[in-house]
Amino acid sequence: AEGGVLCTEHYDLVAVCSGLHNTPFIPTIPNIDSFQGTILHSSSYKDASIFSHKRVLVLGSGETAMDIAHRAVSNPSTKSVALNVRNGFLSIPHNITADRPLDVFITNLFEHAYEHPWVHALRLRWTLSTIVIRLFLFLAGSSLGFNQWSCAVDTVKRGYHIINKSHAAMSHLNVPIKKRSVMMGRFWMWMYGETYLKPIHSFHKTTIDSIDTKNGTTVQFDNGTTFDADMIIMATGYKQSFPFLSDAIKQEHRDEYNKNSCGGGGGGNLNNKRHELDEDFLPSEHFIINKRRPRLAFIGFVRPNVGAIPPMSELQVMWWLCNLRGQVKRLSSAPTGQNASYMVLGRKYPYGVDYGNYMHRVAEDIDAAPTLSSLLQSSKRNKHPWKALYTYCQGQAHIPLFRLRGPFASKMCWDVTTNELWDVCVRRGAAENFGLLSVTIVSFWMNLAACLLECVWCLCCGRRPSFFTRYG
């Protein structure tokens, strides 16, 4: 609008980049009008001074809830802090150590690429990773999460959870739980220096039942517990909303979603949850476009379990441009959107994806996914083929790896791969690299066994083996 007058403009291409978090989700709380304190959504939070001399209750299980809880408990004049978590979360810090970010412990070979369809369907690699992850967490003090004794998920499994990487509040949440454990709890309190920390009380697997109308500050939970609060912070997330889209476009997204849900993948239950939240649907093709409107793209509307959204957005733009040129080569049988193989199995978010799997499936559509042969081929661009091979196989799915070949190939990305990304792998340390390489070797034997079994099966059936044909 210019000067208060609506105007219409026509464009050949439109990219929606408004972000995931735009419309706050406010849960319905019984008798909330009786609360005599302050209530605000986390989107309105600005400064920790609001917690002074307050009893603070934070609702939510995401990184925002953990950040706000930590800021509240870090304010020396805050009277008390509590966190209400309905289901639980998996807490692992962004940095395991100062120079070792979490995502450098994820590899590509046999996990996101060159994985036999049978191995993938049975989740064998993720099962192996789960065993390694649980062992690591156990040695760090708790099998529920990294030094996590409170608000845990029911089961820790690779590929099921969006990891909560905001870890600072975890030590404060641990204090009340560890104090009840005479031996091991107090030992780990001493190990992590939590003995004298101010506690954050946790109300796990419960929701607010009502507000006591007598005093207006006692919050009653449905498990019978209570907490006296002067302030409630709703770190309850956001709804996916596109108020600027026409009803026709929204209906197309809904129709595509329902069509995909009928094909399996448990989409029906998720569909109902989305209607409960009154959310707008995302397009079906990798959450980028719907088939009827290829010139309207949605960029950045994915939530990775581990990893950042910006590199995923860059690959989405590459895919969109190739699709406009008619260069997308996806197999007709490969599902996309909510039923694709890259979806996080826990289904907390309808757009929650496994980072590496999503990156590879999108890149494969445009012939941008690295191949072992291209990595080993020495050329003017690839002066260090063995470095490139190891960096790809034993590293994370960084965006430069998807510009080594394909329509957006760049010599600069070869240099980044064999220098900067190679250094990331080396800096992990010898023990970490040995451990990751060992997991890859076990995965190799899994996939080799699957290939041999497929050969036997195909001989019996008179079919030709497909081996590593894309599985979606």
Side-chain angles (χ1 to χ4, degrees):
E2 296 180 358
V5 178
L6 292 176
C7 58
T8 301
E9 299 285 349
H10 295 276
Y11 298 94
D12 297 319
L13 305 173
V14 175
V16 178
C17 309
S18 53
L20 286 170
H21 301 157
N22 48 32
T23 303
F25 170 64
I26 307 296
T28 301
I29 298 177
N31 203 27
I32 192 63
D33 293 337
S34 300
F35 185 67
Q36 295 181 7
T38 303
I39 302 175
L40 71 153
H41 190 268
S42 57
S43 57
S44 302
Y45 168 78
K46 302 299 180 184
D47 187 81
S49 62
I50 64 172
F51 303 129
S52 297
H53 311 293
K54 295 290 195 300
R55 297 166 296 181
V56 182
L57 174 62
V58 181
L59 310 182
S61 61
E63 293 177 353
T64 300
M66 291 289 278
D67 285 341
I68 290 178
H70 182 254
R71 293 188 181 187
V73 80
S74 298
N75 185 328
S77 62
T78 302
K79 290 182 179 180
S80 60
V81 182
L83 180 70
N84 175 213
V85 175
R86 183 176 55 182
N87 294 315
F89 56 89
L90 176 59
S91 178
I92 300 178
H94 181 271
N95 281 44
I96 301 299
T97 61
D99 58 345
R100 289 173 173 83
L102 176 62
D103 57 0
V104 305
F105 296 97
I106 300 174
T107 59
N108 290 315
L109 186 62
F110 303 132
E111 182 158 10
H112 305 137
Y114 291 95
E115 185 183 28
H116 192 279
W118 294 0
V119 174
H120 177 82
L122 295 173
R123 309 291 181 189
L124 295 181
R125 172 57 192 261
W126 283 7
T127 300
L128 176 61
S129 297
T130 296
I131 295 171
V132 175
I133 291 169
R134 286 183 173 179
L135 177 61
F136 166 73
L137 294 177
F138 176 77
L139 295 175
S142 169
S143 60
L144 304 176
F146 188 88
N147 188 32
Q148 180 178 2
W149 288 57
S150 176
C151 303
V153 293
D154 292 331
T155 55
V156 176
K157 290 184 179 181
R158 165 74 172 91
Y160 277 78
H161 308 291
I162 302 289
I163 294 176
N164 189 323
K165 299 182 289 297
S166 176
H167 196 69
M170 199 69 248
S171 292
H172 298 268
L173 284 162
N174 288 335
V175 170
I177 310 297
K178 289 182 176 179
K179 281 185 175 180
R180 294 200 292 266
S181 176
V182 178
M183 293 184 61
M184 293 305 297
R186 293 185 181 275
F187 169 75
W188 286 110
M189 281 183 69
W190 172 77
M191 285 290 293
Y192 284 100
E194 300 168 345
T195 305
Y196 302 105
L197 288 180
K198 189 175 180 179
I200 297 177
H201 304 280
S202 59
F203 296 89
H204 184 207
K205 292 189 176 180
T206 184
T207 56
I208 296 177
D209 182 61
S210 63
I211 307 296
D212 190 337
T213 56
K214 292 181 180 180
N215 58 24
T217 58
T218 299
V219 179
Q220 299 173 339
F221 297 94
D222 57 16
N223 64 356
T225 57
T226 62
F227 180 77
D228 291 324
D230 304 305
M231 176 176 290
I232 297 177
I233 308 292
M234 296 185 179
T236 47
Y238 297 79
K239 295 188 296 184
Q240 192 63 54
S241 177
F242 304 109
F244 45 82
L245 291 183
S246 68
D247 290 339
I249 296 176
K250 291 181 181 181
Q251 186 62 46
E252 289 170 5
H253 290 180
R254 186 179 294 107
D255 291 343
E256 285 189 347
Y257 178 88
N258 290 331
K259 180 180 179 181
N260 288 339
S261 297
C262 292
N269 293 334
L270 185 59
N271 189 21
N272 292 334
K273 291 180 181 178
R274 297 188 70 178
H275 279 299
E276 289 175 9
L277 296 180
D278 192 28
E279 281 197 309
D280 290 335
F281 289 77
L282 288 166
S284 62
E285 303 299 298
H286 300 308
F287 307 112
I288 303 173
I289 64 165
N290 78 57
K291 296 177 181 178
R292 300 181 192 179
R293 301 180 189 270
R295 294 179 176 271
L296 173 62
F298 293 75
I299 306 300
F301 292 93
V302 284
R303 178 71 184 271
N305 54 348
V306 177
I309 294 177
M312 304 177 80
S313 301
E314 182 175 345
L315 190 58
Q316 287 179 327
V317 172
M318 292 162 57
W319 185 95
W320 183 38
L321 294 176
C322 287
N323 188 64
L324 292 170
R325 300 169 185 165
Q327 296 175 342
V328 168
K329 302 177 180 179
R330 183 173 56 258
L331 296 180
S332 59
S333 60
T336 62
Q338 292 84 2
N339 287 332
S341 65
Y342 47 66
M343 297 301 296
V344 172
L345 300 178
R347 300 274 181 168
K348 179 178 180 180
Y349 299 102
Y351 40 78
V353 301
D354 181 78
Y355 175 85
N357 264 293
Y358 182 88
M359 296 289 278
H360 277 82
R361 304 296 80 81
V362 174
E364 285 170 351
D365 283 357
I366 58 176
D367 278 342
T371 62
L372 299 183
S373 58
S374 66
L375 292 166
L376 278 173
Q377 186 176 359
S378 180
S379 65
K380 291 182 179 180
R381 289 186 170 188
N382 186 14
K383 297 179 180 179
H384 305 283
W386 287 104
K387 281 187 177 183
L389 179 68
Y390 187 86
T391 300
Y392 170 69
C393 293
Q394 294 300 106
Q396 172 65 296
H398 299 290
I399 191 66
L401 296 173
F402 302 104
R403 296 192 61 186
L404 301 181
R405 60 187 293 269
F408 300 95
S410 166
K411 180 183 181 303
M412 181 182 295
C413 290
W414 281 101
D415 295 336
V416 170
T417 298
T418 55
N419 289 286
E420 182 179 342
L421 297 185
W422 162 261
D423 289 340
V424 170
C425 293
V426 172
R427 289 201 307 269
R428 284 188 303 219
E432 290 87 344
N433 277 294
F434 175 78
L436 292 172
L437 186 60
S438 299
V439 173
T440 300
I441 291 172
V442 175
S443 300
F444 165 77
W445 289 108
M446 286 182 183
N447 284 275
L448 180 61
C451 289
L452 293 175
L453 287 172
E454 186 181 7
C455 287
V456 174
W457 173 258
C458 290
L459 283 174
C460 296
C461 299
R463 294 166 53 188
R464 190 174 181 180
S466 57
F467 295 133
F468 297 109
T469 298
R470 283 190 56 192
Y471 47 80

